[in-house]
Amino acid sequence: MERRRAGVRDLARRARQREVTRRPLPTIRACRSTQPPSPMPYKMAEVDILIVPGWGNAGPDHWQARWAANVGTARRIEQDEWDRPMLADWVGRIAEAVAAASRPAVLVAHGCGVPAVIHAAQRLERAKMAGAFLVAPPDLAQ
């Protein structure tokens, strides 16, 4: 009898999962636009690409290091403490780098660099920014 109850519970659980996966996600639907995307207003040579690595910094073979080495307008924003990130310090460095940029900046952030860029956005001069590319944000709740 217990085995049958477990089977029924399992079927009910699977049905609920299918129900959840079939429902449209409201955030995705709300983000859809009926207008075609506008073209990028800048060429790569017209922006400073500021790379914000995440926790521990990225090694020399990481895509961030390759971008910094191979894209003429790209450079990494260095932090004092890569293994113990302090939000205020990271935000300050990002703000300094954007202020020092000679062209509009595109921030490319990875991992722990993502929330730092989000917090820094409030302090950045809008005219100095061309955009942001946020990669693999961490789950800060864990």
Side-chain angles (χ1 to χ4, degrees):
M1 188 66 167
E2 183 58 36
R3 190 171 180 187
R4 184 175 174 189
R5 282 188 203 156
V8 170
R9 282 193 301 254
D10 188 48
L11 284 173
R13 180 182 53 79
R14 283 195 231 162
R16 282 193 306 274
Q17 286 176 340
R18 278 195 304 271
E19 235 178 76
V20 169
T21 57
R22 287 183 185 164
R23 282 189 228 144
L25 297 172
T27 53
I28 293 173
R29 210 170 10 148
C31 293
R32 289 186 184 149
S33 173
T34 58
Q35 299 177 358
S38 60
M40 283 280 297
Y42 300 101
K43 295 178 182 172
M44 283 186 65
E46 298 172 343
V47 296
D48 283 337
I49 299 170
L50 304 176
I51 301 169
V52 186
W55 177 80
N57 197 354
D61 292 329
H62 198 278
W63 63 265
Q64 299 162 17
R66 291 180 182 178
W67 280 24
N70 296 315
V71 178
T73 60
R75 65 182 175 83
R76 293 162 69 130
I77 297 176
E78 294 295 328
Q79 301 293 346
D80 288 331
E81 199 57 61
W82 288 109
D83 295 327
R84 292 185 313 168
M86 301 299 292
L87 182 61
D89 297 342
W90 282 38
V91 166
R93 281 287 169 85
I94 293 166
E96 289 170 7
V98 170
S102 58
R103 296 172 286 240
V106 173
L107 292 169
V108 178
H110 182 264
C112 287
V114 172
V117 165
I118 291 169
H119 283 276
Q122 301 169 23
R123 295 178 51 184
L124 304 177
E125 185 181 333
R126 189 176 201 137
K128 296 284 284 183
M129 288 299 304
F133 181 58
L134 309 176
V135 181
D139 183 356
L140 298 176
Q142 293 188 6

